[in-house]
Each structure stands twice: as structure tokens, then as C-alpha cells.
Amino acid sequence: MTRISEIAKICNVSKTTVSRVLNNHPYVSKEKREQILKVMEELDYAPSSLARNFRTNKTKTIAISVPSFDHPFFAQLVKGVSLAALENDYKVLIFQTFYDSKNELDVMGKLKNREVDGVILGALENEWNAIKPYLKYGPILLCNEYHHSASIPIIGYDEFEATYKAVNHLIEKGHRKIGFCYDTSYSQAQGQRKEGFIKALADNDLLHNDDWIFGHGFTIEDGFRICDEIVKLKEKPTALFTGNDQVAAGIIKKATALGYKIPECLAIVGYDNQSICQVTTPTITTIDIPILELGQRTVIELIKYLNEDLKLKRDIIKLPTKLKIREST
């Protein structure tokens, strides 16, 4: 394998001069630079990225942690992150936490050990005090999650407003018995959704029923389970904000199989506007969110802090959402 010393000897220059050419340093004459580059090409020289990273203390790699890569939302989010990273000459390491706080701390360890330059958290599995000490090793951004006191950029959506909009739509359709689904109880973003749900009901002189609040809603199978739970209730909701298109699809599938008409017996609103919304019968009313843009915007923000050596600060960026009305309401 060709070494810098060999190139320097052929060109009759110092190794420092060759390194300057490799790092695009200005203090090399045009003639000498062209000579060195020509010799590199003739020798098929490929500089060691590991060595360059060691010199610059940069890996040109960022990490993103998500609970599960096979969920359509997180797959789209990772796609957006990867596209923006590629455009900016960065690589992406993808970590699945499976909602395990220890796995999330393993990602933080990559930052501490200088294996990545920065981290994007697509969820938050730990208390903030467990994450905060790692900020001294590099920038960390929250994406698709919220924390009331985290001193870092937070890029997401107005979860309160989106849920309020969805529930108000159900109320306008004449529903008074409305249920609510969420995924994890410790997510502050999910907490904002619940606040939007309760506020929409209160503004219309309605109360929420704890029997109509369903947790651990992630997948189509969870939709099946939630539908079974609704069927067993003595007093049933007539409408449901599922917070997730997969859950919405599962509920529609199971309810239809049991003889319930959608939306006559049970109106359904999803969240994310995934492709599945357009292939169910009926199609799913949902909250449309720009998932790809979320991933891309987060990478741009992270690279800004990496390249401009800015001090990390709390900055809440909310991307727009809109209600997409289809047949399920």
C-alpha cells in the first residue's frame, strides 16, 4: 500500500507538503499541488479515513437511535436522516433501542468514545439527567420527542395542536364518546397529545372516560387487541383517536370482521399519514406529518452545530401538521 512518504520522495517534497494537499491546505503552490495529485492518481493512492479522522478529531459520522426500525414512521425518519447526511458527506449509524434505556445509553457511549460526532434521539428512553452528562462529548438533538427542560434543540410537531384538531373533527361529526390511544406513558410528546385530547373535549363541555384510554399502541396487532378491549366494554366509545396509522388499521380490520361498521359504529382517526391509510377499507382519516422533512431538518441542525462550533442551546422547532380527511370518519 502506498504511503505518504513514498509520494513525498517521488515529488521531492516533505511529507508535510503532501499532507497539506490531502487536507486542501492553501500554502502549496499550484504546480506542486498538481504534481502531487498526479502522482497520487498514478499510484492509486487512497488516504486513510481513519488517520484523517484522528488528525481532525472528526468521524464524519452521526448516530440516530429509534425504538424500532421496522415501524413505518421510523423507517421514513431514518430515510430522511440518511438522505440529508449523504448530501452533506456524512455517514449514519442506526441504532434500535427496542424501548430499552440501556440500549440508548450504549449509543451515548459511541459519542463519548468519539466513534460518532453527534447523536439524534428519535425517542427518549432515559430520564434527561442520564443523557445530559454526554453533552460534553458532542451535540445531541431530540427528534420526534419532547422534553420540558432538555437544553438541546428539539425538532418535531405540535402534538397538542394536531390532536386537538383531530378530536375536534370527531366532535364536529357529532361524536360525544371519544377514546384515545397512546404508545408509552413516559413520553412527553404523548403527554402533549393527551393534553390536546382533553382540552378539545373540555372546550366542548365533554369529559374523558378513563375506560376509553388505551396504552401500548404501536402495531396492527395492538390495534386488534385494543378493538377486543373496546368490544368488552359495557359503554363503548363511538370514535377513537388512535395516534398511529398501524393501530388504526388494526382496529378497522378487527372491528369490520366483528360486524362493526366504520365509521357508523366507530369512527377512527390515525396519525402519520402512512401509505396503509389509502389501502384499508374504509380509508383512514389521519394527521399528515412531513416525516422525511423532519429527518432532513434534524440533520441540518446537527451539522450546523458540528461545523460552526456553536454552543448547544434549547431551540424548539415545530413542523406543520394537517388533518387528512378520508372515509373512516
Side-chain angles (χ1 to χ4, degrees):
M1 186 175 67
T2 305
R3 298 177 180 275
I4 287 180
S5 57
E6 296 175 51
I7 297 170
K9 185 176 181 180
I10 293 171
C11 297
N12 195 27
V13 298
S14 67
K15 289 189 290 184
T16 301
T17 301
V18 177
S19 295
R20 284 176 175 170
V21 172
L22 283 171
N23 292 291
N24 202 27
H25 197 284
Y27 302 121
V28 181
S29 69
K30 180 182 178 181
E31 294 77 12
K32 192 61 67 177
R33 184 184 302 277
E34 290 177 350
Q35 179 193 10
I36 292 170
L37 290 173
K38 182 180 179 182
V39 170
M40 286 181 180
E41 184 178 356
E42 290 172 350
L43 296 178
D44 196 23
Y45 174 73
S48 169
S49 59
L50 185 62
R52 184 190 294 114
N53 293 341
F54 185 79
R55 291 193 302 271
T56 62
N57 202 28
K58 296 289 184 181
T59 66
K60 297 291 285 184
T61 302
I62 58 179
I64 177 171
S65 70
V66 295
S68 178
F69 184 67
D70 61 359
H71 191 284
F73 172 86
F74 291 113
Q76 282 287 95
L77 180 64
V78 167
K79 180 179 179 180
V81 166
S82 300
L83 285 171
L86 186 63
E87 289 175 0
N88 289 276
D89 197 29
Y90 274 80
K91 299 183 290 294
V92 178
L93 291 182
I94 304 165
F95 294 87
Q96 298 184 86
T97 65
F98 302 105
Y99 297 97
D100 188 315
S101 58
K102 181 181 179 297
N103 292 337
E104 186 175 74
L105 291 181
D106 287 343
V107 181
M108 295 297 104
K110 300 293 183 184
L111 184 64
K112 180 179 179 179
N113 295 331
R114 309 295 185 188
E115 296 176 58
V116 297
D117 297 334
V119 173
I120 295 171
L121 294 176
L124 189 59
E125 312 301 341
N126 285 272
E127 294 293 333
W128 175 243
N129 286 338
I131 300 295
K132 188 176 180 180
Y134 292 92
L135 288 174
K136 61 186 175 184
Y137 303 113
I140 302 168
L141 273 64
L142 262 182
C143 169
N144 180 53
E145 186 53 273
Y146 179 81
H147 192 278
H148 68 277
S149 63
S151 55
I152 60 175
I154 299 172
I155 302 94
Y157 314 106
D158 191 332
E159 308 280 4
F160 178 98
E161 188 269 343
T163 306
Y164 187 97
K165 187 163 39 184
V167 175
N168 202 56
H169 167 67
L170 292 171
I171 294 170
E172 289 174 350
K173 286 288 186 177
H175 295 282
R176 297 295 180 264
K177 299 178 180 180
I178 302 173
F180 175 82
C181 299
Y182 64 91
D183 50 34
T184 59
S185 59
Y186 56 81
S187 165
Q188 291 190 18
Q190 294 291 312
Q192 289 183 327
R193 289 189 188 184
K194 189 174 181 181
E195 289 173 6
F197 165 71
I198 293 173
K199 183 70 164 80
L201 294 180
D203 285 351
N204 289 274
D205 298 320
L206 300 174
L207 297 175
H208 73 277
N209 187 330
D210 287 339
D211 289 340
W212 301 339
I213 296 180
F214 308 93
H216 201 78
F218 301 97
T219 65
I220 291 175
E221 289 73 21
D222 290 327
F224 296 161
R225 170 182 54 80
I226 291 170
C227 184
D228 287 337
E229 292 177 17
I230 291 173
V231 169
K232 294 174 184 177
L233 292 173
K234 184 175 181 180
E235 185 177 13
K236 300 174 178 58
T238 64
L240 196 62
F241 171 77
T242 66
N244 180 313
D245 293 333
Q246 305 295 304
V247 172
I251 292 173
I252 288 173
K253 176 71 175 179
K254 188 65 177 285
T256 301
L258 292 173
Y260 288 84
K261 290 185 177 180
I262 309 293
E264 291 85 353
C265 297
L266 184 64
I268 300 290
V269 177
Y271 200 104
D272 293 346
N273 196 23
Q274 297 288 340
S275 297
I276 196 172
C277 292
Q278 300 180 62
V279 297
T280 57
T281 303
T283 55
I284 300 172
T285 294
T286 188
I287 294 293
D288 180 48
I289 56 177
I291 305 173
L292 277 177
E293 182 184 342
L294 174 64
Q296 293 169 322
R297 180 67 181 273
T298 305
V299 170
I300 291 169
E301 289 296 313
L302 180 60
I303 291 176
K304 180 177 72 176
Y305 282 97
L306 288 171
N307 290 348
E308 299 178 21
D309 198 26
L310 300 174
K311 183 179 180 181
L312 210 64
K313 65 177 182 179
R314 183 176 177 83
D315 184 17
I316 300 175
I317 300 170
K318 294 180 180 180
L319 302 184
T321 67
K322 61 182 178 181
L323 181 67
K324 188 76 174 178
I325 299 175
R326 296 193 179 96
E327 298 167 348
S328 67
T329 58

